[in-house]
Amino acid sequence: MSLASPTSLAAIPSPSNAVWQLGPIPIRAYALCIIAGIVVACWVTERRLRQRGAAPGVVLDIAVWAVPAGIIGARIYHVITSPEQYFGTGGEPIKVFFIHEGGLGIWGAVAGGAVGAWIAARQLGIPLTVVADALAPGLPLAQAIGRLGNWFNNELYGGRTDLPWGLEIHRMDGGQALRDEAGQPILEEGLYHPTFAYELLWNVGVAAMVYFLDRKLRLGRGRAFALYVMGYTAGRFWIEMMRTDEANTILGVRVNVWTAALVFLGALIYFLRVRGPREYLIPVGLPSVAAPPAGSDVSQVDLSAKGATTEPAVPEGYRVVGEEQFAHWRRTGEAPPEAAAPVDAGSESAPDRPAGEASAPDQSDMDDVVTPSKRADEASVLDRPAGEAATAARPQGEPSGGSAGGPAGLAGERPGSVGGPTDGEETGSASDSPAESTAGESAAARPADRDS
């Protein structure tokens, strides 16, 4: 049996067992660490998405796509960059599917997970950048927890060291440490750099950095995720060069070192070029529940809808808004209006009125309402001879100009009611004949019809 260096006063021990049997079912520490990391990432992402306006539980709809796609992508990357383990002389192609033995590349996990998250985000109506920014602090925490699986497997360590935190490494086979004749686990000679622990601590620091900078700078448009990518790849660059496990190289440098450098540059370019405020979500298609006005009788509130269904309401989609608009919606429940259409000068638009008066017509509006009796009166006036049209259009004995308090007076007070063609079809042909001209003048003395 080979023991740790006797000159070392301290060392980090490694587990001698990475698999436990539950009857015929093997429980692997590596898988448990991966699952625990996924749970933590989902919890963080759920909280951050809720703070940005997403419906409860939306992260589960995303994880259903992102997690399997991420695992597949991670395995594909590992197989592509280490094909000799599975193909060619001495390779075992069936082991491509033995994920429990390790071999997941984070680069493929992020790429595959992004594809799955994109599919889910499109179905939910959420921009992918919103999902990515919400995930940014949780993903490095998940990676940190996942690195504990490498500790159980006694893998991903660096070169020899005599530092107090040197790592003991067992000779492993099938998730169990090999044992000597006395039944003691066999250790590799000396102590090694715990590169998995370096990356674990680095990832926790990246998560904290992203969280606090995002909180201070209000990052949006995927820039928080780009900040995570830059932070992670900067650490992976130097940690990867410390590792001594077998890996393919390009120009004498490990493939993952090149990958880290290229991904860092891509994230840096994105972070510097993309600008924009943080994005928030307002659900679309949910029934709006208006709060009772201040001082109103609580009996006016309809409680019959409450409890009508136990299923949570699912929005049809989301609108992307700014921070101020989102805060206003959270306070009042009123969604901001869509882009307003241009309004003619001198005309009154509903948004210019107070909210409580937008639908309440004034007296002049009531005078302009087109009714069947008004249509009948106009038709009878136009059908009479020219000499009778003007007399029939007003009460007997009334001056031709109309009284100040009559309908003609009301019409005269409204700008644009007299002196030009109105919306009604009858006045559109008033100049065709003398009789119709007289009828048109009488009709102009009444309130103008509006399109209904």
Side-chain angles (χ1 to χ4, degrees):
M1 179 177 71
S2 299
L3 301 177
S5 174
T7 60
S8 300
L9 300 179
I12 300 176
S14 291
S16 60
N17 191 357
V19 182
W20 302 274
Q21 289 296 138
L22 185 62
I25 302 174
I27 306 298
R28 303 183 184 275
Y30 185 83
L32 293 178
C33 292
I34 295 296
I35 293 173
I38 293 172
V39 171
V40 170
C42 288
W43 178 77
V44 172
T45 306
E46 169 75 5
R47 286 180 59 87
R48 288 169 62 83
L49 282 175
R50 291 281 299 277
Q51 293 170 355
R52 286 161 169 76
V58 70
V59 72
L60 298 180
D61 298 323
I62 298 172
V64 165
W65 286 92
V67 172
I71 294 175
I72 293 173
R75 189 60 173 178
I76 290 175
Y77 178 86
H78 172 75
V79 172
I80 290 175
T81 56
S82 304
E84 64 280 354
Q85 300 181 22
Y86 310 100
F87 308 104
T89 304
E92 300 182 58
I94 190 62
K95 286 193 173 182
V96 167
F97 303 101
F98 292 1
I99 297 180
H100 59 274
E101 294 184 356
L104 298 176
I106 183 60
W107 316 109
V110 174
V115 173
W118 175 75
I119 295 173
R122 280 182 60 87
Q123 294 178 346
L124 297 169
I126 301 176
L128 181 60
T129 53
V130 175
V131 178
D133 284 340
L135 174 64
L139 187 53
L141 289 179
Q143 291 175 252
I145 298 172
R147 283 305 179 199
L148 291 175
N150 303 128
W151 177 55
F152 278 96
N153 285 348
N154 286 248
E155 60 187 5
L156 301 189
Y157 48 87
R160 295 280 293 269
T161 182
D162 57 359
L163 292 172
W165 55 83
L167 179 69
E168 297 177 347
I169 297 296
H170 293 100
R171 296 179 184 177
M172 303 291 288
D173 182 29
Q176 306 288 339
L178 298 177
R179 298 180 180 272
D180 59 13
E181 296 177 355
Q184 298 296 318
I186 300 176
L187 291 169
E188 297 288 354
E189 183 179 356
L191 301 178
Y192 300 83
H193 277 287
T195 52
F196 79 89
Y198 297 161
E199 187 171 332
L200 184 157
L201 296 175
W202 183 272
N203 286 337
V204 172
V206 169
M209 177 193 69
V210 172
Y211 174 79
F212 287 108
L213 286 181
D214 179 52
R215 185 175 181 179
K216 180 179 180 180
L217 302 178
R218 320 298 289 178
L219 299 174
R221 303 289 300 277
R223 298 181 77 217
F225 189 82
L227 183 63
Y228 145 72
V229 173
M230 287 189 292
Y232 172 73
T233 52
R236 182 65 184 267
F237 184 87
W238 64 269
I239 294 173
E240 184 73 20
M241 291 192 295
M242 295 182 65
R243 287 170 50 174
T244 58
D245 54 308
E246 294 184 3
N248 292 328
T249 61
I250 298 177
L251 300 177
V253 179
R254 296 167 68 98
V255 171
N256 284 336
V257 174
W258 290 104
T259 305
L262 293 175
V263 174
F264 175 87
L265 290 177
L268 177 62
I269 293 172
Y270 183 93
F271 186 83
L272 295 177
R273 290 183 60 87
V274 175
R275 290 289 187 270
R278 178 181 291 177
E279 301 157 299
Y280 291 85
L281 306 173
I282 291 181
V284 175
L286 285 177
S288 58
V289 181
S296 63
D297 187 358
V298 73
S299 63
Q300 298 175 1
V301 181
D302 183 13
L303 300 178
S304 60
K306 184 177 181 181
T309 177
T310 58
E311 296 295 331
V314 178
E316 298 175 358
Y318 294 91
R319 280 183 56 194
V320 179
V321 297
E323 186 171 0
E324 293 183 1
Q325 294 174 315
F326 180 73
H328 175 76
W329 175 75
R330 292 289 294 267
R331 290 194 308 268
T332 65
E334 298 176 358
E338 300 284 355
V343 181
D344 294 337
S347 64
E348 182 182 12
S349 60
D352 294 334
R353 301 181 182 181
E357 301 177 4
S359 61
D362 56 17
Q363 182 60 37
S364 60
D365 291 334
M366 295 301 294
D367 292 336
D368 286 347
V369 175
V370 180
T371 62
S373 60
K374 286 186 179 182
R375 292 288 188 188
D377 291 343
E378 292 171 2
S380 63
V381 170
L382 294 177
D383 291 341
R384 293 180 184 178
E388 301 178 3
T391 304
R394 59 181 181 270
Q396 184 177 3
E398 182 180 326
S400 60
S403 61
L410 290 174
E413 295 173 3
R414 293 179 59 84
S417 300
V418 182
T422 62
D423 296 334
E425 295 178 357
E426 295 84 2
T427 59
S429 60
S431 60
D432 292 344
S433 66
E436 292 176 352
S437 177
T438 305
E441 295 174 358
S442 175
R446 297 191 305 272
D449 294 342
R450 290 183 178 177
D451 290 338
S452 58

